[in-house]
Amino acid sequence: MNVEMDIRSMRYFLEVAKTKSFTNAARRLYLSPQALGKAIREMEAEMGQPLFVRDRRALQLTAFGRSALREAEQCVSQFDRSLARISSLAREAAGCVNIVCAYGIPNALGYESPAVLRRRLRERTGLEVDIAFDELPDLLAERELYEESCDLGLLMGAPEPSALYETALLRVHRLVAVIAPGHPLAGRASLTVRELAGYAVASKNRYYRTYHVLESCARRQQVTLTYALCSPDDTLWRQKVRAGAVGIGVSFLSESALQGGFVVTPFEEEDMVYPIYLARRKDHDMSDALRAVWRTIAEDGGDNRG
């Protein structure tokens, strides 16, 4: 048997195994079902073993297919990691440090924008390198760091699995309820998540950790929340809060919320927080420039005074 399977073929195999459907897998891969089916048949012929059995309900992996799946997953994962490391080496050679940020973190650290933070880092480190920032939703930013598509991450919450990462806690902000002045809860000095039962809630969506922190706290208290909005759209969020929903916000935005005419009330639960971490993969190559940027952010702790 002379097997010359490429990474693309392995990705096709993994997608079919995941969806258990040539039609659905082809749609996700932007292929025709016929072209995908031909690619899988060629793989099976090359290996001399069937990967799938076909029944009326769905495709099923054969015993050989299940074994091949584990190997293909490891192979594709290692290929992606190696490709990301090569990209990292290319950025280093070009004099570039790439930092991924969860949306809003530059503001949470006291900077008006990523551009201001970039300028601050250049001033403090004395580096001439290009410091690039990408802002993404919390969980997508964490995935970018995991896949080593960037060098450092400024994240909401510590990345998992923790054994893979070196982290530095920079700041901890509290989650707050943002309420219109006439709302029944507006007169409270503080609130619990349990007290949100019966009221509509306006929050970010599942790509943001604030949503998961809120839901986790509600589940522990056996509270089912009703959502008027799950979206990162700030305009819609403000509209819903003005219409009577309880907005879930972060304490560093309190001044902006107050200027908008809202009432800001902290939550009492200890875990209703917004911790900001600087993070990197422990196995990610660290250039001198990258070490200088890490050290400066960690030592400043987001303190932009001076």
Side-chain angles (χ1 to χ4, degrees), residues 79-92 285:
F79 176 83
D80 289 343
R81 289 285 313 284
S82 297
L83 190 62
R85 288 188 177 186
I86 292 171
S87 298
S88 175
L89 291 172
R91 290 195 299 270
E92 181 181 340
D285 294 325

Side-chain angles (χ1 to χ4, degrees), residues 147-167:
E147 294 177 349
E148 294 188 274
S149 299
C150 59
D151 301 302
L152 302 177
L154 286 168
L155 307 176
M156 191 284 197
E160 296 290 342
S162 59
L164 287 181
Y165 300 96
E166 178 182 357
T167 61

Side-chain angles (χ1 to χ4, degrees), residues 41-108:
R41 288 194 298 273
E42 288 176 352
M43 289 177 62
E44 292 176 325
E46 191 174 6
M47 292 181 290
Q49 294 288 336
L51 295 167
F52 299 97
V53 292
R54 297 147 178 87
D55 61 27
R56 296 178 182 176
R57 293 173 297 176
L59 292 174
Q60 300 294 334
L61 286 164
T62 62
F64 172 77
R66 289 192 293 272
S67 298
L69 178 64
R70 291 191 293 270
E71 297 299 326
E73 287 172 337
Q74 292 178 16
C75 185
V76 170
S77 177
Q78 183 58 50
F79 176 83
D80 289 343
R81 289 285 313 284
S82 297
L83 190 62
R85 288 188 177 186
I86 292 171
S87 298
S88 175
L89 291 172
R91 290 195 299 270
E92 181 181 340
C96 179
V97 173
N98 194 350
I99 302 174
V100 66
C101 294
Y103 277 131
I105 281 187
N107 298 111

Side-chain angles (χ1 to χ4, degrees), residues 102-113:
Y103 277 131
I105 281 187
N107 298 111
L109 293 177
Y111 299 94
E112 294 179 2
S113 68

